[in-house]
Amino acid sequence: RVLFRSVCIRAARTVRLCEAMRQLALDITAPPAPSFDNFVVGRNAEALTHIRAAVAGGAERFIYVWGESGSGRTHLLKAAATHANSQYVACAEHSIFEDVAPLLAADDVGNLGGEAQVALFHRYNILRDRGGSLIASGGVPPVQLTLRADLLTRLSWGLVIQLHALSDEEKSQALTQRARERGFDLPAEVCAYLLAHTPRDMGALFATLDALDRFSLETKRAVTVPLLRQVVSNDFKKLN
């Protein structure tokens, strides 16, 4: 009878642990929606300030931001489009710009095909005439885009701001601060493992760190590399 009870207790603990890990897997694969508040600024304070002002109806209504992958372009444009009367478009060859929202966030305009470029050109003119705003992005400055000359001219008329990807040191500082806000100290070796073995965008890094914290509390284990390795292991991902 004692043995049976012990087996039942262990089985119940195993079930609870599996459920906790499944929930953590969901948390990792669904990081928080991009917003201005959860954007890690780094060296991009100017871009954040101007985009916030454009959303609020400021004087600079046309902005083009450019930078390498991971510099925060998509985060900022999606954050801008969370506000009322706005549209976010992840640009592709055949993108359509039919929405009448007064704020358009056009992400990666370099992907646009010929007809879509014409459509964005006309949408730009409508936004300008009606007091609307356009926030566009690309991987290179406007002069290096292979787009129609008239559209390139429009994109160059407003503010053009370069975005800078966070350095590993800046990411480490952001992760360390996030851990402190959650009430624990992040060991340097755990932070280094996070940067080396998980997706490197800040949304995914924060989601993994939050999941690690919850898993540590659930299992009553310290935050260590072995614990993090368990959280991000292939077996753990398969639970999702």
Side-chain angles (χ1 to χ4, degrees):
R1 186 176 299 174
V2 173
L3 178 60
F4 176 75
R5 182 179 180 184
S6 177
V7 170
C8 289
I9 291 174
R10 287 199 297 270
R13 288 175 177 170
T14 300
V15 170
R16 287 197 299 270
L17 180 60
C18 288
E19 288 301 322
M21 293 180 73
R22 288 190 181 93
Q23 184 57 50
L24 290 171
L26 291 173
D27 293 340
I28 288 177
T29 55
S35 71
F36 292 139
D37 290 337
N38 63 24
F39 179 69
V40 180
V41 179
R43 292 165 287 166
N44 299 312
E46 179 188 10
L48 177 60
T49 297
H50 284 296
I51 290 176
R52 269 185 150 152
V55 170
E60 294 289 352
R61 298 184 291 114
F62 296 92
I63 301 173
Y64 177 86
V65 293
W66 65 276
E68 63 183 90
S69 176
S71 60
R73 290 182 281 128
T74 296
H75 186 118
L76 284 173
L77 267 66
K78 285 186 174 181
T82 60
H83 296 262
N85 298 319
S86 61
Q87 178 194 20
Y88 170 83
V89 176
C91 294
E93 182 176 358
H94 302 293
S95 290
I96 298 174
F97 303 96
E98 294 181 347
D99 196 288
V100 295
L103 188 150
L104 170 63
D107 199 6
D108 278 328
V109 295
N111 294 332
L112 294 173
E115 291 185 6
Q117 292 177 41
V118 174
L120 181 57
F121 172 77
H122 290 306
R123 180 71 184 280
Y124 182 105
N125 291 334
I126 291 172
L127 288 168
R128 181 192 58 193
D129 294 342
R130 296 180 180 176
S133 299
L134 170 66
I135 303 171
S137 82
V140 295
V143 294
Q144 295 182 26
L145 291 169
T146 55
L147 300 176
R148 293 169 53 99
D150 51 7
L151 178 57
L152 288 178
T153 300
R154 297 298 190 276
L155 294 174
S156 301
W157 274 355
L159 287 177
V160 177
I161 306 173
Q162 182 180 5
L163 293 175
H164 304 277
L166 295 176
S167 66
D168 281 356
E169 181 179 355
E170 289 170 328
K171 290 180 179 180
S172 296
Q173 292 172 354
L175 289 167
T176 300
Q177 179 61 32
R178 176 81 162 209
R180 287 174 182 162
E181 291 171 355
R182 295 185 66 91
F184 72 98
D185 291 326
L186 183 66
E189 64 274 15
V190 175
C191 188
Y193 191 94
L194 261 173
L195 293 173
H197 298 281
T198 65
R200 294 175 58 82
D201 66 278
M202 289 310 302
L205 286 169
F206 279 161
T208 305
L209 182 69
D210 293 350
L212 173 64
D213 180 30
R214 288 192 292 274
F215 191 50
S216 170
L217 294 172
E218 178 72 24
T219 59
K220 297 180 174 59
R221 294 166 59 189
V223 173
T224 62
V225 169
L227 187 70
L228 175 58
R229 190 180 295 119
Q230 184 176 356
V231 169
V232 300
S233 67
N234 290 331
D235 289 340
F236 174 72
K237 292 178 182 177
K238 289 175 184 176
L239 289 170
N240 180 25

